[in-house]
Amino acid sequence: MFVKLCGLRTEADVAVAVETGADAVGFVLTASPRQIDVDLARRLVAAVPEHVLSVAVVRGIPAAEAGELALRAGVRALQLHGDYPKESFDQLGGQPFSLVRATALGPDTDLRTGAFGEELLLIDSPVAGSGEQWDVTRLAERRPEGNWVLAGGLSPENVAEAVGVARPWGVDVSSGIESSRGVKDHGRMREFVAVARG
């Protein structure tokens, strides 16, 4: 089970994420309670070992600006979160980072991983970053194809059940491993990874 811990903001967060065996860590570079500036992101990314994927997460900014932030932060992947069209992904092709397409499950959502040129598809709650759990049973009728990651309201308490229902390739968590909005709880980080893999 691929596990991404998102919204990390401190060196201690990164150290704990690596220690838990997380496969990927996310740094939010646009408006959010978890936003950090690109200079801090670059310092944190420098502490991420090669075997862990470092991801810049952006929402609501043009693709060119997102690509610039990713380059400055030195991440290995860029997550475009929200209603980015295929043209945005095309625009970022050929950059020295891979692409993650993060979207909610809608009637017209293309659920094929790679359909927009991305390497990973992330299916999130309609209200990203809210911590609200959504009805993952909807994925029983429309299953994503390829390597896809489930997100949206996951926590140590519900991730096992969500994985059992949705059968994703991976999971992503942010608010579910916090002690307060934007502040990571290192105990919950460890617990989440253990339960997700259990």
Side-chain angles (χ1 to χ4, degrees), residues 105 111-113 121 123 139 142-146 148 166:
L105 181 65
L111 296 178
R112 298 167 302 156
T113 302
L121 171 64
I123 303 296
L139 290 161
R142 291 182 63 213
R143 293 205 43 80
E145 297 172 23
W148 71 280

Side-chain angles (χ1 to χ4, degrees), residues 7-91:
L8 307 189
R9 298 173 65 201
T10 69
E11 288 173 7
D13 291 348
V14 173
V16 171
V18 171
E19 174 208 313
T20 67
D23 299 285
V25 290
F27 304 102
V28 181
L29 300 183
T30 52
S32 157
R34 301 165 189 94
Q35 181 178 6
I36 58 174
D37 66 46
V38 74
D39 295 326
L40 175 56
R42 189 171 188 85
R43 290 201 300 277
L44 297 181
V45 167
V48 179
E50 191 61 30
H51 67 276
V52 178
L53 184 67
S54 55
V55 185
V57 179
V58 302
R59 183 184 184 90
I61 63 171
E65 189 182 335
E68 193 59 41
L69 284 174
L71 289 172
R72 286 174 56 203
V75 290
R76 289 176 43 218
L78 170 60
Q79 178 174 318
L80 296 179
H81 210 114
D83 298 322
Y84 282 91
K86 185 175 185 302
E87 291 73 32
S88 294
F89 290 82
D90 293 343
Q91 202 177 332

Side-chain angles (χ1 to χ4, degrees), residues 57-165:
V57 179
V58 302
R59 183 184 184 90
I61 63 171
E65 189 182 335
E68 193 59 41
L69 284 174
L71 289 172
R72 286 174 56 203
V75 290
R76 289 176 43 218
L78 170 60
Q79 178 174 318
L80 296 179
H81 210 114
D83 298 322
Y84 282 91
K86 185 175 185 302
E87 291 73 32
S88 294
F89 290 82
D90 293 343
Q91 202 177 332
L92 292 164
Q95 294 283 1
F97 47 76
S98 60
L99 296 170
V100 180
R101 174 166 60 106
T103 185
L105 181 65
D108 303 320
T109 307
D110 193 323
L111 296 178
R112 298 167 302 156
T113 302
F116 285 27
E118 78 279 10
E119 286 185 26
L120 264 187
L121 171 64
L122 187 147
I123 303 296
D124 198 2
S125 148
V127 189
S130 65
E132 289 175 21
Q133 199 176 8
W134 59 287
D135 181 10
V136 297
T137 61
R138 290 167 53 204
L139 290 161
E141 289 155 26
R142 291 182 63 213
R143 293 205 43 80
E145 297 172 23
N147 290 350
W148 71 280
V149 175
L150 178 67
L154 297 180
S155 68
E157 292 77 21
N158 66 26
V159 65
E161 184 184 359
V163 164
V165 171

Side-chain angles (χ1 to χ4, degrees), residues 16 20 156 176-177 184-194:
V16 171
T20 67
I177 49 171
K184 291 294 177 269
D185 180 312
H186 297 161
R188 288 181 69 77
M189 289 170 67
R190 293 185 180 97
E191 191 186 350
F192 183 88
V193 176

